[in-house]
Amino acid sequence: MRIWFLILSAVVIGSPAFAQYESIADLKVAKPEDKQDAKSTPAPSGALVLFDGKNLDQWVKRNDPKTTATWKLLDGGIMQVNGGDIITKELFDGSFTLHVEFRVPYMPKASGQGRGNSGVYLQGRYEVQVLDSYGLDSKDNDCGGIYTIAKPLVNACKAPTVWQTYDIDYTSPKFVDGKKTEPGHITVLHNGVKIHDNVTITKDNTTSGLGGDPSKPGPILLQDHGNPVQYRNIWLVKKTAK
Ligand code: MG
């Protein structure tokens, strides 16, 4: 009996899926589709593919931009937070659409900002929050919030461990002779639901962003907030130059 228990324990503990993401079978959901993955959208022709699951060639470490990112590549075309924030090699400006798919772990014993926290930063400066905010009355620091700037119009979150999507339309701020003449704007679809409609970016940097000169181009940054958040299928379509 004991030997079977040990073998079973080894199998279960050795299973990455089990070790990373607990079952959400005990989680009560408002509607069944909250436990169903959002539809994955392939990169359209002409898109810049930032992550297709094969490698991290487009990404470097935030704190050591000469070094390729060390996030874990997992089966299923997935990368998982590991070893600090990562940024794209390429810097962006002007208008673009960014598609990101992500999922957060089920952390029933954690709460608030400690529950599946990561984030997608535009130009490395403005965070669209990634967090387990399922079922909450969302604030500007919850999932889909533009951190400390705007709360989502509605909470469009799916349950933790379920794949979700962001489609972000971004326009960088405009400057003339170093003076800001127009702020940046963000529209966000979360799982296909519009949660921000051309929101004005009222700051030059949100918490833990790269900062720097806001008139300069910046990378896409994915945040390591210490939780094993996963990403897949990330692509970007440039619309207009600055
Ligand atoms: Mg975050």
Side-chain angles (χ1 to χ4, degrees), residues 13-57:
I13 292 166
S15 161
F18 184 89
Q20 286 155 14
Y21 284 172
E22 288 186 44
S23 166
I24 57 168
D26 67 340
L27 180 68
K28 289 192 174 61
V29 292
K31 43 190 191 306
E33 57 264 41
D34 293 344
K35 284 189 175 181
Q36 292 164 5
D37 292 338
K39 192 167 156 287
S40 182
T41 309
S45 64
L48 173 64
V49 175
L50 294 174
F51 180 66
D52 64 3
K54 296 190 179 80
N55 58 60
L56 289 159
D57 290 356

Side-chain angles (χ1 to χ4, degrees), residues 49-60 68-80 86-89 222 231-234:
V49 175
L50 294 174
F51 180 66
D52 64 3
K54 296 190 179 80
N55 58 60
L56 289 159
D57 290 356
Q58 302 294 323
W59 301 84
V60 293
T68 302
T70 57
W71 285 21
K72 292 180 195 165
L73 282 173
L74 304 176
D75 288 345
I78 297 165
M79 64 169 156
Q80 179 174 296
I86 61 174
I87 55 176
T88 52
K89 288 180 184 171
L222 300 179
Y231 291 87
R232 69 178 185 189
N233 190 25
I234 304 174

Side-chain angles (χ1 to χ4, degrees), residues 194-212:
K194 189 176 281 189
I195 60 165
H196 295 290
D197 190 359
N198 205 31
V199 165
T200 299
I201 303 170
T202 52
K203 300 180 179 182
D204 288 336
N205 191 42
T206 63
T207 310
S208 304
L210 289 177

